[in-house]
Amino acid sequence: MTDSHVAAPAPATLVRTPRARRYAMTRPEFFAVEYAINPWMDIATPVDVGVAVAQWDALRTTYVRLGHRVEVIEPVPGLPDMVYAANGGFVARDVAIVARFRFAERAGESRAYAEWMSSLGYRPVSTRHINEGQGDLLLVGETVLAGYGFRTDRRAHPEISAALRVPVVSLELVDPRFYHLDTALAVLDDRTIAFYPPAFSAAAQHQLQALFPDAIVVASADAFVLGLNVVSDGLHVVLPAAATGFAAQLRAAGFEPVGVDLSELLKGGGSVKCCTLEVFP
Ligand code: ARG
């Protein structure tokens, strides 16, 4: 007989453990939508920088409240997309890889992010081929999942693997609305992901199903508010508040969703993860 007053203990696999993280973010002081390099950007849409800064600051304080360390990178005038710090590169242990951008509009960011890496004591490494940092390179445990098809060049993947000394799994993106891997796939902990299958080629979908049989499959309604563009500490998953279906899936899987409103930054085609570069120990 079960006692209905006593909640059943969660199965061991559902006990989620948070880990204190270190993030870097760039204040959207010079944010604008002045050019369109992804389908989310419409130069006719007005942008309110004051709102963007307030939403960004709420994200920053959310991380701090969850016990994480956040470093703020100086924004540079004339680089309106610099707020999407995830694209600045990839920093793990003693290695800092700096981004090489697909579009000329963002090329100047490489120097700004390289300077920030140098200020931390790294000697930033460049790749020969295009890599848009943690927009397309997501660490799961000891493996990097690497997107290609729109931004990062597939030929940069072996360069990334060699520099970081970790295996890289190349995944093809096929829908221009999900142009970076972090718009279509979320890393929740060292072995758990969520993804939106239609954003991937059939081969990539099979690879993901084989590697992550317990992956959370997210619905279109959530994917189309960039609901997968999240930052997780292993327990708390900071995600766009509009992704309510995904939030319910996360709760059912033992995570704690923390919704934030980044509607102003969605106008540039980014959300929570895009605004956050994780520095891995
Ligand atoms: N406007 C930026 C671009 O198109 C948005 C980048 C979003 N970043 C991301 N990690 N998905 O490059």
Side-chain angles (χ1 to χ4, degrees), residues 57-185:
D57 207 53
L59 175 62
R60 187 186 62 77
T61 56
T62 298
Y63 291 142
V64 172
R65 183 171 57 74
L66 293 172
H68 306 304
R69 190 167 140 198
V70 182
E71 295 181 27
V72 175
I73 302 172
E74 255 331 284
V76 175
L79 297 175
D81 272 337
M82 207 180 150
V83 61
Y84 304 111
N87 299 128
F90 197 105
V91 187
R93 297 188 311 268
D94 55 337
V95 183
I97 299 169
V98 67
R100 182 183 293 281
F101 286 90
R102 169 77 52 188
F103 295 107
E105 290 88 340
R106 297 196 67 181
E109 294 181 40
S110 296
R111 183 176 173 173
Y113 281 104
E115 279 169 8
W116 167 72
M117 290 167 186
S118 301
S119 76
L120 293 185
Y122 290 99
R123 218 150 42 86
V125 234
S126 303
T127 53
R128 281 171 50 98
H129 299 286
I130 289 158
N131 93 77
E132 295 204 350
Q134 288 178 7
D136 276 321
L137 307 168
L138 297 175
L139 186 67
V140 193
E142 290 293 301
T143 301
V144 169
L145 302 180
Y148 70 95
F150 296 101
R151 298 295 182 85
T152 297
D153 190 318
R154 190 182 185 165
R155 291 170 296 177
H157 296 179
E159 296 187 78
I160 302 292
S161 178
L164 295 173
R165 305 180 299 273
V166 297
V168 168
V169 176
S170 297
L171 300 165
E172 187 182 10
L173 295 164
V174 295
D175 182 330
R177 292 165 294 190
F178 303 99
Y179 57 96
H180 276 138
L181 184 63
D182 71 357
T183 63
L185 188 148

Side-chain angles (χ1 to χ4, degrees), residues 25-39:
M25 299 176 68
T26 309
R27 186 179 299 101
E29 220 162 288
F30 307 108
F31 177 60
V33 179
E34 290 167 347
Y35 49 81
I37 56 173
N38 70 57

Side-chain angles (χ1 to χ4, degrees), residues 178-200:
F178 303 99
Y179 57 96
H180 276 138
L181 184 63
D182 71 357
T183 63
L185 188 148
V187 176
L188 303 172
D189 65 23
D190 290 345
R191 55 198 186 86
T192 314
I193 66 155
F195 73 115
Y196 180 58
F200 295 89

